[in-house]
Amino acid sequence: MRIELKELLDKLGVGYILSAYETCPWAASDDETGVTCSAEVRMNNDGNELEAEMQIMRDNPAEGESPLEQIFFMLAKPATDNKWDVKTTRVQGQDNPDNLYNWHEKAAAFFLACVTELKMGKIPDIEEIMARELRDGESFGGMMGGGGSKSPKLKGAQLLGMKTGR
């Protein structure tokens, strides 16, 4: 994904262009479950690296569960012509696990959906948002998966509204 910085930041839920050293954070916690979810988009000190990250922290993790889990990570750097290039995108530690078309766009939509929940003070339902935002409903070239590519047969006279004699 190669887009202008403002557009990239909009896709990540930041409504303005970050300066060097600037961070845009969000967080929500649930005292009953002891779970906190935080997300942030940050610009490095030289203004030439943008990172987005989301993590879940658990006060009392269940057996086998980590107290800290990184849910999302994205790294983008300037490319050319005022465009930024997304270099890395990981969701739950995996970079495009299902080989999804348009992975970076879908992962950014996943992050934005989570940020939207955090802005409302809710812990995002990660599994539900993943199922909704990271699904494979299209293939390369923008065509829906499956089916053939046979073109319909059109006759010139039909296009012009003329009746054909039969």
Side-chain angles (χ1 to χ4, degrees):
M1 175 168 60
R2 188 175 283 197
I3 59 177
E4 291 186 13
L5 179 59
K6 172 80 170 105
E7 186 180 351
L8 176 58
L9 289 166
D10 286 343
K11 287 180 181 287
L12 296 173
V14 181
Y16 56 95
I17 294 180
L18 295 173
S19 302
Y21 281 115
E22 193 170 4
T23 300
C24 183
W26 304 274
S29 57
D30 183 345
D31 294 334
E32 289 180 23
T33 60
V35 173
T36 299
C37 181
S38 66
E40 68 179 31
V41 177
R42 58 186 172 263
M43 184 69 71
N44 75 341
N45 60 333
D46 293 325
N48 63 1
E49 210 171 83
L50 181 77
E51 291 182 346
E53 182 178 28
M54 181 174 56
Q55 53 193 3
I56 291 196
M57 295 157 282
R58 296 175 185 88
D59 293 341
N60 302 308
E63 190 172 325
E65 200 173 42
S66 174
L68 177 67
E69 180 183 0
Q70 186 179 53
I71 303 297
F72 181 90
F73 178 79
M74 179 182 277
L75 172 68
K77 295 183 177 190
T80 57
D81 300 329
N82 294 326
K83 304 260 182 182
W84 283 63
D85 192 18
V86 175
K87 300 290 188 181
T88 303
T89 305
R90 288 190 304 267
V91 176
Q92 290 189 324
Q94 297 186 0
D95 184 6
N96 200 1
D98 296 324
N99 238 3
L100 292 177
Y101 172 69
N102 217 1
W103 167 247
H104 297 301
E105 288 272 347
K106 289 178 180 181
F110 165 78
F111 183 80
L112 179 60
C114 292
V115 165
T116 301
E117 294 286 310
L118 291 172
K119 286 180 179 180
M120 293 187 290
K122 298 178 187 176
I123 302 289
D125 183 341
I126 302 300
E127 298 303 321
E128 186 273 324
I129 295 172
M130 283 179 68
R132 184 179 71 225
E133 299 295 339
L134 299 178
R135 60 187 153 84
D136 193 12
E138 56 192 336
S139 64
F140 292 95
M143 295 175 52
M144 294 301 289
S149 61
K150 187 174 178 181
S151 300
K153 294 188 189 235
L154 297 175
K155 296 178 182 152
Q158 288 175 320
L159 290 173
L160 298 173
M162 300 168 64
K163 293 187 177 187
T164 56
R166 273 204 180 182

